[in-house]
Amino acid sequence: MTDTLLSASQLRLQRSHKTVLDNISLTLTAGRIMTLIGPNGCGKSTLIRVLLGLEQADSGSIQRQRGLRVGYMPQKLSLDQRLPLTVDGFLRLARGASRQRIDQWLKRLSIEPLRHQSVHGLSGGEWQRVLLARALLSEPQLLILDEPVQGVDVQGQMELYQLIPQLRDELGCAVLMVSHDLHLVMAATDEVVCLNGHVCCSGHPDQVSLDPAYLDLFGQRPAIAHYTHHHDHQHCLDGHIESEHRGGHTHD
Ligand SMILES: Nc1ncnc2c1ncn2[C@@H]1O[C@H](COP(=O)(O)OP(=O)(O)OP(=O)(O)O)[C@@H](O)[C@H]1O
């Protein structure tokens, strides 16, 4: 099947006598978004590292499409604080970086004004967008995002989860992402895999949210009441209001 970019079969991995991954199989297909969800320590990041080839499973197999271009946004990236590095300089270090692509993704992700800023002074949300830009520089066929919204405020989380399907449409890529909250990613995913060492359940988010295995793991949570704020204008990154979008109220 030509649309299959990566397929993993019966992955098992033990660390210090603990079974971290137990009989995991999954298939990533062009144009589809898969979300891994599960409690802390259930093996999400380890699975991603195994799929990326950064860690070796004890058994099982992984087949990748030949020459597959993968963009990876890690959960953590530690940079030496003593290293003077601007956003532009950081992005230029990435695989696939070219002047044109850096310009393109800085604009597309609305972080152009950060270009000459030090990476060490960025807010959590700004840093996540820079990491996303870095993952996109190789024009990936498969985009892997390990907790892309950590450190991002609720409004920013919504915006990022809206952006991900848009990027999928623009690039035609597959997306594999890790999230802690099924309700937040509901609209931004085609398939959810609920992990707890093994695959507890998987399928469309509507199905998974009602699956007894999911409810066992996460409990019968009350529906989350999201605060929805209908903004009638847009802000620049420095906090000013963009005048063409200014609506019925103003800020100091
Ligand atoms: N090298 C190792 N030695 C021992 N245990 C390990 C090793 N690597 C991972 N583990 C354990 O494997 C489990 C899965 O870790 P992993 O980071 O994949 O979880 P996660 O689902 O991504 O967690 P979180 O949501 O907190 O990021 C954890 O219990 C972790 O302690």
Side-chain angles (χ1 to χ4, degrees):
M1 212 170 40
T2 52
D3 277 357
T4 299
L5 300 177
L6 184 151
S7 132
S9 174
Q10 299 182 323
L11 297 176
R12 285 181 204 275
L13 178 142
Q14 282 210 321
R15 291 286 180 263
S16 311
H17 306 293
K18 179 182 173 179
T19 301
V20 179
L21 301 178
D22 183 10
N23 197 24
I24 310 267
S25 299
L26 54 81
T27 300
L28 298 170
T29 308
R32 287 182 62 82
I33 302 177
M34 179 185 283
T35 301
L36 290 177
I37 189 163
N40 289 127
C42 73
K44 303 180 295 294
S45 294
T46 306
L47 175 57
I48 279 185
R49 291 175 58 76
V50 168
L51 296 177
L52 285 163
L54 301 172
E55 242 179 283
Q56 193 71 39
D58 300 324
S59 61
S61 63
I62 299 177
Q63 304 225 307
R64 295 180 193 85
Q65 200 179 77
R66 191 184 287 267
L68 182 67
R69 291 190 308 278
V70 182
Y72 173 44
M73 180 175 169
Q75 190 180 116
K76 289 188 211 104
L77 186 70
S78 306
L79 293 174
D80 187 339
Q81 294 286 327
R82 294 164 303 182
L83 197 70
L85 193 59
T86 62
V87 167
D88 191 66
F90 173 70
L91 292 176
R92 272 190 279 129
L93 297 172
R95 188 186 302 168
S98 67
R99 182 75 287 141
Q100 188 201 351
R101 284 198 183 159
I102 291 175
D103 291 349
Q104 173 195 339
W105 288 112
L106 285 174
K107 282 197 190 87
R108 177 65 186 89
L109 301 184
S110 312
I111 51 173
E112 165 72 23
L114 302 177
R115 180 192 286 265
H116 299 297
Q117 210 164 299
S118 163
V119 288
H120 305 300
L122 300 177
S123 74
E126 290 168 347
W127 178 234
Q128 290 304 96
R129 282 190 182 237
V130 171
L131 285 179
L132 181 57
R134 176 175 172 265
L136 289 163
L137 285 172
S138 64
E139 301 282 313
Q141 295 161 292
L142 170 59
L143 185 59
I144 298 190
L145 312 171
D146 195 348
E147 294 197 40
V149 300
Q150 63 176 322
V152 180
D153 65 28
V154 176
Q155 182 65 32
Q157 290 186 23
M158 304 278 199
E159 285 169 12
L160 264 173
Y161 282 133
Q162 281 167 5
L163 185 61
I164 288 165
Q166 291 170 13
L167 294 173
R168 179 269 314 267
D169 293 344
E170 287 164 30
L171 293 169
C173 62
V175 179
L176 175 66
M177 67 175 162
V178 168
S179 172
H180 278 285
D181 195 318
L182 177 58
H183 294 91
L184 268 178
V185 296
M186 282 276 217
T189 192
D190 299 303
E191 186 178 357
V192 175
V193 174
C194 184
L195 206 63
N196 195 14
H198 62 287
V199 174
C200 295
C201 54
S202 63
H204 190 270
D206 288 334
Q207 293 167 327
V208 168
S209 64
L210 299 174
D211 192 294
Y214 170 81
L215 294 170
D216 252 9
L217 205 55
F218 289 96
Q220 293 265 6
R221 291 196 207 175
I224 296 171
H226 290 307
Y227 166 65
T228 51
H229 175 78
H230 296 290
H231 236 57
D232 58 2
H233 58 264
Q234 289 186 348
H235 294 259
C236 303
L237 281 170
D238 65 3
H240 283 90
I241 297 167
E242 288 177 342
S243 55
E244 66 267 33
H245 298 291
R246 192 189 290 260
H249 73 273
T250 55
H251 290 244
D252 291 332

